Amino acid sequence: MGSSAGLLRTGTYLGALMAAAANATFFKTGASTTGLHHLSFFLLITSSLLLIITLLDRSLRRIGQPS
């Protein structure tokens, strides 16, 4: 239980750091429509990569099956 809580907290911190870095990168001079479009494109690519990695992970097929 303790290690899963630690991993959850670590993931939360890493996500917050990445979100702050993305906001700083795409909204350098303030919020704009162009920056929002670039941020959404970045998020689309990032989420697509994470989906592909998850779908290609063969170890997930063993979850829930008897050993």
Side-chain angles (χ1 to χ4, degrees):
M1 180 76 169
S3 63
S4 64
L7 288 172
L8 174 68
R9 183 65 67 176
T10 301
T12 303
Y13 287 147
L14 290 175
L17 286 170
M18 295 225 13
N23 283 335
T25 301
F26 295 113
F27 298 134
K28 290 178 185 170
T29 59
S32 66
T33 303
T34 304
L36 185 62
H37 288 169
H38 289 146
L39 178 63
S40 64
F41 185 68
F42 170 74
L43 292 174
L44 182 65
I45 290 175
T46 304
S47 61
S48 298
L49 287 174
L50 289 173
L51 178 64
I52 289 169
I53 290 170
T54 302
L55 291 175
L56 293 177
D57 188 1
R58 293 174 26 176
S59 68
L60 294 176
R61 296 180 187 149
R62 294 189 301 256
I63 295 176
Q65 295 180 358
S67 347

